Amino acid sequence: MDMHTEIRDFMVTMSKKEVVAAKFPNQEHWLPLSNLDVCFGPPLDFSLFFCYTKPTCGDNWTFVSKVEVLKKALTEALVPYYALAGEIVPNSMGEPEILCNNRGVDFIEGFADIELQNLNLYRADETIGCKLVPKKKNGVLAVQATGFKCGGLMVACTFGHQIMDAYSASILLNLNLSSLPTFCRSLLNPRIPGSFDSSIENLCIPITTFHPTKEPNLGANNFVSRTYIVTANIINQLQSLASTNECKRTKVECFSALLWKIIAKSGTTDKNISKLGIVVDGRTRIGRGDEEKTKILASYFGSVLSIPYGSKN
């Protein structure tokens, strides 16, 4: 029986749900999480979505045929990326690990009663996040393919953040079988002897003080996602305005500075604090000049990121 959910001014019909497993499964085994993986604390998911207009190569590409191609590609991708077909379960010590058992990936098919061009991408929480992006209930990855009235297609993936970061997701989505992923957790073993900077004390809080809500209320003071498209010529113009002959600013500096100013202007009182963090991939930094280790880390599949941030009144 079809399930119907109204999202503002359009309807989405979920027509099919199945589990897609690897074409050639590996022998069942356990894969531990790294120290950086477990830093995420409570389970956290993130999603990516991709929009495709109707193909111009004729009428042979129906929604059904496109979905079949996607599922076939997924069965092949899950062979080298076998961890994504597993599930997170506690080991004998109660620590989370990946059980690589080829449990499979939940794959959902749906149809949106709207033209793709009419989607409000700006308010992603209210449109895309509500029904066009799958909620991951089992395993470590969920995929949803949604067709539109215009013949367009959206493919949305929800990943378990304890298993991978956005860089790992890009490795998967730009699948290149000539460059296989690395799951070698020993690459991120802690230094011996260990060392840390005292500033870390200011970045950590006891996990007992963290009480995430099970179902966030969109009307409450929660995090809100926004998606923006910024063209290259605008970034170049920002860089030109912010730079001088003596001091040239990077594109990241220029854009983040502008974004921070916009956020700060939205404050209602002088006591508000504006914070800006930028996600940094640590793969090129952990190698510390070791070319061989840096090369291996480039294909490392997991979470190797940090978020340096600044805050000002």
Side-chain angles (χ1 to χ4, degrees):
M1 184 166 128
D2 291 345
M3 299 170 284
H4 298 276
T5 301
E6 187 173 0
I7 308 174
R8 289 189 174 271
D9 57 347
F10 69 94
M11 187 82 72
V12 175
T13 302
M14 301 301 180
S15 57
K16 187 177 181 181
K17 179 179 179 180
E18 62 181 300
V19 177
V20 177
K23 187 176 182 180
F24 304 109
N26 286 335
Q27 183 176 356
E28 182 175 309
H29 65 281
W30 292 80
L31 183 65
L33 301 184
S34 73
N35 285 341
L36 291 178
D37 291 332
V38 298
C39 280
F40 281 100
L44 177 69
D45 296 335
F46 71 96
S47 302
L48 298 173
F49 64 89
F50 302 87
C51 301
Y52 303 92
T53 57
K54 182 180 179 180
T56 58
C57 55
D59 298 328
N60 295 330
W61 281 101
T62 64
F63 175 72
V64 173
S65 62
K66 286 183 283 189
V67 168
E68 287 304 313
V69 170
L70 281 172
K71 288 190 288 189
K72 182 177 182 295
L74 183 58
T75 63
E76 296 174 355
L78 289 176
V79 176
Y81 293 86
Y82 55 85
L84 295 180
E87 53 189 331
I88 299 181
V89 295
N91 60 17
S92 58
M93 301 294 292
E95 301 168 333
E97 289 193 9
I98 309 174
L99 176 59
C100 301
N101 57 359
N102 201 33
R103 177 257 171 206
V105 172
D106 289 339
F107 194 102
I108 304 166
E109 300 175 34
F111 180 80
D113 186 23
I114 188 176
E115 301 279 332
L116 181 58
Q117 64 180 2
N118 293 332
L119 269 183
N120 188 339
L121 297 179
Y122 174 70
R123 296 191 175 275
D125 289 318
E126 300 172 12
T127 54
I128 298 169
C130 289
K131 201 59 183 177
L132 298 175
V133 171
K135 300 292 187 294
K136 185 178 67 61
K137 298 180 179 180
N138 301 297
V140 298
L141 168 63
V143 179
Q144 179 172 326
T146 306
F148 292 82
K149 290 174 63 176
C150 58
L153 174 72
M154 176 182 289
V155 180
C157 307
T158 299
F159 304 92
H161 220 325
Q162 279 190 315
I163 306 304
M164 59 194 300
D165 54 20
Y167 181 93
S168 298
S170 69
I171 296 176
L172 170 69
L173 298 170
N174 295 287
L175 184 60
N176 181 1
L177 294 179
S178 63
S179 178
L180 299 178
T182 299
F183 294 97
C184 183
R185 298 300 193 242
S186 63
L187 290 170
L188 299 181
N189 282 347
R191 290 183 293 269
I192 300 176
S195 64
F196 68 93
D197 191 277
S198 59
S199 62
I200 294 179
E201 294 289 346
N202 300 323
L203 299 177
C204 299
I205 61 173
I207 196 170
T208 53
T209 65
F210 184 72
H211 301 289
T213 56
K214 292 183 178 180
E215 292 294 335
N217 178 9
L218 290 179
N221 186 23
N222 295 304
F223 289 109
V224 178
S225 296
R226 289 289 183 264
T227 302
Y228 299 92
I229 297 174
V230 185
T231 58
N233 65 305
I234 294 296
I235 296 293
N236 291 334
Q237 184 180 357
L238 281 174
Q239 187 177 27
S240 176
L241 291 171
S243 301
T244 65
N245 292 333
E246 293 76 23
C247 180
K248 184 176 182 180
R249 303 295 184 181
T250 68
K251 291 179 172 63
V252 172
E253 285 178 312
C254 301
F255 181 75
S256 60
L258 176 64
L259 181 61
W260 196 338
K261 289 175 69 174
I262 293 173
I263 294 172
K265 285 182 179 179
S266 67
T268 55
T269 69
D270 292 337
K271 295 181 180 179
N272 281 0
I273 294 178
S274 175
K275 295 184 178 181
L276 178 68
I278 299 177
V279 179
V280 175
D281 174 37
R283 287 168 176 80
T284 59
R285 293 162 175 82
I286 291 177
R288 293 190 170 188
D290 186 328
E291 292 186 7
E292 185 61 29
K293 187 174 183 179
T294 301
K295 181 179 179 181
I296 298 174
L297 278 167
S299 60
Y300 178 82
F301 200 92
S303 294
V304 195
L305 54 81
S306 61
I307 309 179
Y309 71 92
S311 60
K312 292 285 185 181
N313 287 333

